[in-house]
Amino acid sequence: LMNAAVAQGVEPAQITQHCDSVSLCFSKGLGAPAGAVLAGRREFVAEAWRVRKLLGGGMRQAGVLAAAARIGLEHAETTLRRDHDNARRFAQGISGIQELNSPLCSINLTAVETNIVLVGVKGDWPSPTELCKRMQAVSEEEVAKTGHAVSVLLFPWSARSLRAVWHWNISAHDTELAKNKLDFVARKCQE
């Protein structure tokens, strides 16, 4: 919700105005260690509260978590905008690999609107799972050639794609290292 609101330049209420209920997680993009909020009709929230207690959910002394969530909300636009910019920089790096006629990856830059980048994996090899493993692994050759030991966690999204997601703890420098790692892995796969 918050990523969509920042990307569209609107208030979250505009996106949710026709929803019966909304759940917002404070971790991940907003950077809080835990926590979520549920909004909806009074009866719906009361029932959710009852079921949560029935299942053993609940916390005491949750003020520290609430404070972290509040800070995350206060800085959401700046933080999420930075995440979106980093995701776009990474996607542009993939676009650069595409321009080198790499048979490995493809990207639709117009589809990169928030902190999520879906990368198409072309050809029969490597599979998205194999490519993710290679992006996570660090070899002595990589360190010798690039001067960095970089492990990038990606998720095999489908049979021909993988997903990269940015959050508050990934810097512009980290993004540049990830782009360089993908370039290194693409070259190794072409060899």
Side-chain angles (χ1 to χ4, degrees):
L1 172 61
M2 297 305 290
N3 276 292
V6 168
Q8 294 177 29
V10 299
E11 291 296 320
Q14 186 175 341
I15 295 172
T16 62
Q17 66 183 324
H18 300 293
C19 297
D20 292 332
S21 63
V22 176
S23 175
L24 177 64
C25 181
F26 295 124
S27 64
K28 300 176 186 71
L30 296 179
V37 66
L38 178 68
R41 295 175 193 246
R42 185 179 307 270
E43 300 80 26
F44 172 77
V45 172
E47 178 63 10
W49 184 273
R50 186 188 74 75
V51 171
R52 180 185 64 99
K53 285 192 167 220
L54 186 76
L55 297 174
M59 297 184 72
R60 301 284 184 258
Q61 307 302 323
V64 172
L65 294 176
R70 182 176 180 176
I71 290 170
L73 285 169
E74 288 172 354
H75 298 282
E77 185 167 351
T78 302
T79 302
L80 297 177
R81 176 89 44 226
R82 187 199 66 221
D83 294 346
H84 298 179
D85 291 345
N86 284 334
R88 173 147 302 277
R89 272 199 267 332
F90 182 76
Q92 289 167 338
I94 294 170
S95 180
I97 291 173
Q98 258 179 255
E99 290 170 10
L100 296 173
N101 294 321
S102 171
L104 187 62
C105 298
S106 65
I107 188 83
N108 176 359
L109 280 176
T110 60
V112 180
E113 298 177 305
T114 63
N115 64 324
I116 299 173
V117 177
L118 292 177
V119 180
V121 180
K122 303 189 290 188
D124 293 330
W125 188 90
S127 68
T129 300
E130 176 64 25
L131 184 56
C132 290
K133 286 179 186 175
R134 287 173 175 260
M135 289 293 289
Q136 186 174 3
V138 176
S139 68
E140 290 179 20
E141 180 184 7
E142 173 190 351
V143 175
K145 286 190 175 183
T146 67
H148 297 284
V150 177
S151 179
V152 179
L153 299 177
L154 301 171
F155 183 75
W157 189 246
S158 73
R160 299 299 338 140
S161 67
L162 55 91
R163 186 177 78 151
V165 179
W166 274 255
H167 57 77
W168 68 274
N169 203 29
I170 300 174
S171 68
H173 179 68
D174 296 333
T175 301
E176 193 62 34
L177 290 173
K179 279 176 24 180
N180 294 342
K181 172 78 175 212
L182 182 59
D183 184 54
F184 174 80
V185 168
R187 290 179 197 280
K188 290 304 295 176
C189 287
Q190 282 182 307
E191 289 175 6

